[in-house]
């Protein structure tokens, strides 16, 4: 009895295919539509926090608002400084790796002639 002749095997194969692949085609992990959906869900979760922050900030006296803006600005600049240092370190590491590779190819690697 071969595979083409047995209807039970064909039916079982179709059942397994439906188990592995559901009828609705889901997008693969990491696609743009999924990431935008996750971003929208994240924004919906942050909206109440932002609203509470706005209410708290508006209740501050003028001197408190200025001081708060100065502190928040300092934190933002500090984070930006950290990110830029990280990027520059990665660039320096890439350049160093290139120099080491060239040094290896020119001086250490056996020459084939």
């Amino acid at each position: 009895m071969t595979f083409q002749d047995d209807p039970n095997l064909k039916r079982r194969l179709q059942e397994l295919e439906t188990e592995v692949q559901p009828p609705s085609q889901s997008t693969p992990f990491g696609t743009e539509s999924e990431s935008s959906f996750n971003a929208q869900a994240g924004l919906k979760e942050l909206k109440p926090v932002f609203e509470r922050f706005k209410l708290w900030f508006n209740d501050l006296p003028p001197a408190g608002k200025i001081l708060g803006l100065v502190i928040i600005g300092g934190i933002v600049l500090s984070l930006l400084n950290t990110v830029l240092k990280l990027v520059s370190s990665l660039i320096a590491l890439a350049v160093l790796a290139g120099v080491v590779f060239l040094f290896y190819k020119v001086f250490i690697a056996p020459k084939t002639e």
Side-chain angles (χ1 to χ4, degrees), residues 88-108:
S88 66
S89 297
L90 291 175
I91 292 171
L93 186 61
V95 169
L96 179 64
V99 168
V100 168
F101 177 74
L102 288 175
F103 180 79
Y104 170 76
K105 281 293 195 180
V106 171
F107 295 111
I108 298 176

Side-chain angles (χ1 to χ4, degrees), residues 5-25:
D5 295 339
D6 192 1
N8 290 335
L9 283 176
K10 285 184 180 181
R11 183 182 51 80
R12 181 65 183 142
L13 179 61
Q14 288 175 349
E15 288 175 2
L16 288 174
E17 286 177 353
T18 56
E19 285 178 16
V20 171
Q21 185 177 12
S24 64
Q25 295 292 331

Side-chain angles (χ1 to χ4, degrees), residues 6 10-11 22 25-26 28 41 43 45 57 63 68 77 79 84 86-89 107 109-110 112:
D6 192 1
K10 285 184 180 181
R11 183 182 51 80
Q25 295 292 331
S26 62
L43 287 177
E45 291 176 5
F57 188 77
L77 289 177
L79 288 174
L84 290 176
L86 178 65
V87 169
S88 66
S89 297
F107 295 111
T112 57

Side-chain angles (χ1 to χ4, degrees), residues 20-86:
V20 171
Q21 185 177 12
S24 64
Q25 295 292 331
S26 62
T27 58
F29 178 76
T31 60
E32 185 178 336
S33 62
E34 183 177 311
S35 63
S36 66
F37 174 74
N38 288 340
Q40 290 173 356
L43 287 177
K44 286 181 183 177
E45 291 176 5
L46 285 179
K47 194 171 183 177
V49 174
F50 182 67
E51 291 296 327
R52 280 194 340 214
F53 176 76
K54 275 185 6 183
L55 289 174
W56 171 79
F57 188 77
N58 287 334
D59 287 342
L60 289 176
K65 288 180 182 179
I66 293 172
L67 184 63
L69 288 176
V70 168
I71 292 173
I72 290 172
I75 291 171
V76 168
L77 289 177
S78 175
L79 288 174
L80 183 62
N81 186 23
T82 303
V83 169
L84 290 176
K85 283 183 180 180
L86 178 65

